[in-house]
Amino acid sequence: MNTLKIFSIAFLTSVTLGFAQDVNQARKAVDAEQYEKAKSILKSILKGNPADGRANFILGNVYLIQSVTDSAKIAFQKGLTGADGGRLNYIGLGVIDLDNGNSVAADSNFALALKDTRKKDIEELTAIGRGYTYSAKPNYKKAIEVLNKAKLINSNDALVQLALGDAFYGDKNQNEAYAAYRNAFQFDPTLLRAKMQLGVLLKGAKSYDEAIKSFNEVIALNANYGPVYRELAETYYKWGRNKPSKSSEYMQTAIGYYEKYLSLTDYSLNSRMRHADFLVLVKDYKALEVEANKMSEMDKVNPRIFRYLGYSAYENGNVDVAIKSLESFIANPVNKVIAKDYLYLGNAKFKKGMSADGLSMDPILYNSGIADIKKAIEIEPLIIEDLNEVGKKMFGLKLYNEASTIFEFGTTSTEYKNYIEDNIYYGLSIYYANLKKDVVVDKAALQKADLAFEKVIQASPTYQDAYIYRARTNAVLENNDVMKKNYEDFIAKATEKGAEEVAKPLVKKKFIESYNNIASTYLTTDKVKAKEFVNKSLELDPADKRALDLLAFLK
């Protein structure tokens, strides 16, 4: 779920009118994701009354949104003694406990928040439910349990229904989430968040056109409601990913909507970081480098900026900056390093290690890059699926040994989306590496290539070229029986596809190769059989030199 939508609700029943107006403005600013504006309003309130419970509670939540836990804790602790909304701050402290995995301490704080509540109070129950939903370690079942207690007290409360919708959404219960969001908006037509979430459900179901219609309905109600433009941006991004023919167009549309979102929220460092994350998604690395440099001007020491500088510098060809930035980011113990950080660092080292003529790679930088790739895989095994393009680049440059190491990662599980292709390239990389001039044939490696092609055949028996690749590999290994069988299997699989397939020039060429090599296995044991296959080859190409040489030998 989007962690920006935490429990951003302030309740105003027991405050003076002027103060209520200020708190209400802060609440609306939080809901609109204008966090700097909200902090400014709240700090103004707290300047006059530092211990105010409700203002500290909202301020603490803003800090949690921005991942500034220490400041959030200070705000909650100051608010505990506040006459108005003081006990809400126990909930804030409880959420920090949940984030830290201390459910016992969280329960204790939640119990203190509920200790003196009246039977009809739902404010604390709603906040606790949202706490369970938006914790870094969410418990959606528990959130639903708590929020249902609030619903029993007042089933027509829009904020309870909104909170239930979020909890059901997190619990992947789309039907209940839809009903709760619909109810929330019916009970309070000004609650745009609930209306927007109906579109989010459609986006999650990949009904992108319907989601866009839903978001446009929100815009018709309030064109200045910033979060809906972020949702539009994410919808067009996902639609573009799922519709390649429109990918470029939709990515640009997505970027435009995200810029609109930023213009309606704020241009703080946190806001720019969200923008940077989105630019990574849409792969707009030129814009990312500009944004990263702007953030660096605002805060030269914020460690997360080095991630964006590293990504964008790599994509824009500045490998030295990329390596320096990413190593600085990874070395900082404050940062939560993700697999992509190591993937980019490894790729940057590969690029730096490439010789000017593209024919070789510095072994020290290559090995260091491989070590980074392994660290990326330790964090997130599925990052292996991103290595396919890395390996292809090396393969295209005829760096076959280097490419084989990269492709080998993807051959270890049928669950990887590039499993078949990675096995093909892995086998071919080893095969071509062993055909290079002055290379001593590595039979152990070639046996791995043979196994890779066998995996391809098992996974996709109709992929006829796998039989050719396996036959060629076993020819180098001098395993004539395996070679002959795979050439025979190639002929059979191609023939099954009909005359049109057999007539293709490349397929015809492979038939000639197959006939010639099958004939070669009979030269000393069955000359009649050998001649039969040579004649088949000559029927396809009477001038084929290999076939003519074999025929001359047979005479």
Side-chain angles (χ1 to χ4, degrees):
M1 294 188 68
N2 191 318
T3 56
L4 300 179
K5 302 191 291 286
I6 74 157
F7 42 120
S8 56
I9 307 302
F11 299 84
L12 315 172
T13 54
S14 62
V15 292
T16 63
L17 183 61
F19 181 73
Q21 188 64 35
D22 287 338
V23 171
N24 195 34
Q25 287 173 354
R27 178 188 66 80
K28 288 181 178 179
V30 174
D31 182 60
E33 298 175 20
Q34 298 169 337
Y35 301 118
E36 296 307 310
K37 178 180 177 180
K39 286 198 295 187
S40 178
I41 294 170
L42 293 164
K43 287 177 180 178
S44 178
I45 293 170
L46 292 169
K47 189 175 181 180
N49 184 6
D52 182 86
R54 186 169 273 101
N56 272 301
F57 176 64
I58 302 171
L59 181 61
N61 283 317
V62 175
Y63 282 127
L64 285 182
I65 292 170
Q66 297 180 329
S67 300
V68 189
T69 304
D70 290 344
S71 295
K73 188 173 183 179
I74 290 169
F76 293 140
Q77 288 173 334
K78 284 183 178 179
L80 286 174
T81 59
D84 175 54
R87 58 175 172 257
L88 289 170
N89 291 278
Y90 285 117
I91 299 171
L93 293 171
V95 172
I96 294 175
D97 291 329
L98 289 178
D99 291 347
N100 293 329
N102 192 342
S103 59
V104 173
D107 288 342
S108 176
N109 274 310
F110 293 157
L112 288 171
L114 295 172
K115 183 178 179 182
D116 297 318
T117 56
R118 296 168 298 179
K119 288 184 179 180
K120 292 186 178 182
D121 287 344
I122 60 173
E123 180 179 3
E124 289 80 9
L125 287 170
T126 305
I128 291 170
R130 296 185 74 86
Y132 278 119
T133 299
Y134 290 106
S135 167
K137 298 176 181 177
N139 186 336
Y140 301 118
K141 301 290 187 190
K142 190 69 175 178
I144 293 166
E145 177 188 327
V146 173
L147 290 166
N148 275 329
K149 292 178 181 178
K151 182 181 175 182
L152 284 174
I153 296 170
N154 186 354
S155 61
N156 294 331
D157 187 279
L159 297 177
V160 172
Q161 291 289 343
L162 174 61
L164 268 170
D166 290 347
F168 281 124
Y169 179 46
D171 202 39
K172 303 188 186 314
N173 189 331
Q174 306 299 302
N175 291 334
E176 291 292 347
Y178 181 88
Y181 289 138
R182 181 196 59 203
N183 290 340
F185 187 67
Q186 286 177 348
F187 297 153
D188 182 358
T190 69
L191 198 56
L192 296 181
R193 177 74 59 173
K195 175 71 173 171
M196 184 181 76
Q197 287 300 112
L198 293 172
V200 171
L201 291 175
L202 292 167
K203 178 185 69 175
K206 297 185 178 180
S207 298
Y208 301 119
D209 52 347
E210 292 300 317
I212 289 166
K213 287 179 185 177
S214 183
F215 294 139
N216 283 329
E217 289 174 2
V218 175
I219 291 171
L221 294 170
N222 183 353
N224 292 319
Y225 187 63
V228 73
Y229 295 101
R230 185 198 62 245
E231 296 297 344
L232 275 167
E234 292 179 1
T235 301
Y236 273 103
Y237 161 72
K238 291 185 177 181
W239 202 0
R241 285 285 300 272
N242 284 272
K243 194 172 185 178
S245 64
K246 289 281 190 178
S247 179
S248 180
E249 176 188 341
Y250 287 171
M251 290 301 172
Q252 288 305 309
T253 303
I255 290 169
Y257 276 123
Y258 210 96
E259 294 291 345
K260 178 72 172 178
Y261 163 68
L262 283 176
S263 72
L264 291 169
T265 51
D266 54 53
Y267 280 95
S268 66
L269 187 63
N270 286 86
S271 180
R272 287 187 179 278
M273 284 185 175
R274 294 198 300 275
H275 184 214
D277 287 334
F278 189 75
L279 291 172
V280 171
L281 284 178
V282 298
K283 299 181 179 180
D284 189 344
Y285 298 108
K286 293 291 184 184
L288 178 63
E289 191 162 20
V290 172
E291 189 72 295
N293 283 312
K294 285 180 180 176
M295 289 190 291
S296 182
E297 291 171 7
M298 295 173 69
D299 188 342
K300 295 185 182 296
V301 297
N302 192 299
R304 191 168 156 194
I305 294 169
F306 287 114
R307 169 183 283 161
Y308 304 125
L309 285 171
Y311 288 10
S312 58
Y314 168 78
E315 295 290 349
N316 296 328
N318 303 321
V319 291
D320 288 329
V321 174
I323 292 171
K324 182 180 178 182
S325 299
L326 289 167
E327 286 182 337
S328 295
F329 178 82
I330 290 169
N332 191 326
V334 172
N335 294 328
K336 182 180 179 181
V337 180
I338 60 176
K340 185 174 283 190
D341 301 327
Y342 278 114
L343 177 63
Y344 265 102
L345 181 57
N347 282 338
K349 290 176 181 177
F350 295 153
K351 189 177 285 189
K352 182 175 174 62
M354 190 74 66
S355 64
D357 58 10
L359 298 177
S360 63
M361 186 177 293
D362 181 283
I364 294 175
L365 281 167
Y366 176 75
N367 290 330
S368 181
I370 289 295
D372 291 324
I373 296 296
K374 289 179 179 178
K375 289 175 184 175
I377 294 169
E378 286 175 10
I379 295 171
E380 176 48 75
L382 277 179
I383 201 76
I384 283 173
E385 295 182 351
D386 292 338
L387 297 178
N388 180 266
E389 291 300 320
V390 179
K392 283 180 180 177
K393 288 178 183 177
M394 293 181 183
F395 187 88
L397 292 168
K398 298 183 180 181
L399 297 171
Y400 298 123
N401 283 319
E402 291 83 357
S404 67
T405 303
I406 297 295
F407 286 118
E408 187 174 12
F409 291 115
T411 67
T412 56
S413 173
T414 57
E415 297 300 313
Y416 298 135
K417 69 177 182 180
N418 301 313
Y419 173 76
I420 292 177
E421 191 174 50
D422 282 349
N423 270 289
I424 292 169
Y425 275 104
Y426 175 58
L428 288 175
S429 296
I430 294 173
Y431 172 74
Y432 286 125
N434 279 276
L435 292 186
K436 283 190 172 184
K437 188 178 179 180
D438 299 326
V439 168
V440 177
V441 172
D442 186 341
K443 289 191 174 183
L446 284 166
Q447 287 167 354
K448 291 181 180 179
D450 178 52
L451 178 60
F453 295 134
E454 185 178 15
K455 288 180 180 179
V456 174
I457 291 167
Q458 290 171 348
S460 183
T462 59
Y463 182 65
Q464 64 200 38
D465 280 354
Y467 299 97
I468 284 284
Y469 300 149
R470 193 175 185 205
R472 290 171 181 171
T473 301
N474 280 279
V476 180
L477 283 167
E478 300 179 347
N479 293 334
N480 287 343
D481 290 341
V482 179
M483 176 192 74
K484 180 165 74 74
K485 182 182 184 308
N486 277 278
Y487 276 127
E488 290 170 344
D489 287 342
F490 166 76
I491 292 167
K493 294 297 179 182
T495 302
E496 286 174 5
K497 294 179 180 178
E500 186 177 346
E501 176 69 17
V502 175
K504 292 177 180 177
L506 285 176
V507 175
K508 182 179 175 181
K509 189 176 180 181
K510 290 169 185 173
F511 264 78
I512 293 170
E513 175 190 338
S514 300
Y515 290 140
N516 287 339
N517 282 290
I518 292 171
S520 71
T521 65
Y522 289 111
L523 288 178
T524 59
T525 59
D526 191 336
K527 290 189 176 182
V528 174
K529 197 77 172 173
K531 192 171 183 179
E532 175 189 333
F533 280 100
V534 170
N535 286 333
K536 286 183 178 183
S537 179
L538 290 170
E539 283 177 19
L540 295 174
D541 183 1
D544 183 73
K545 186 178 184 306
R546 176 95 190 281
L548 290 171
D549 288 344
L550 288 169
L551 187 62
F553 179 84
L554 288 166
K555 289 180 178 179

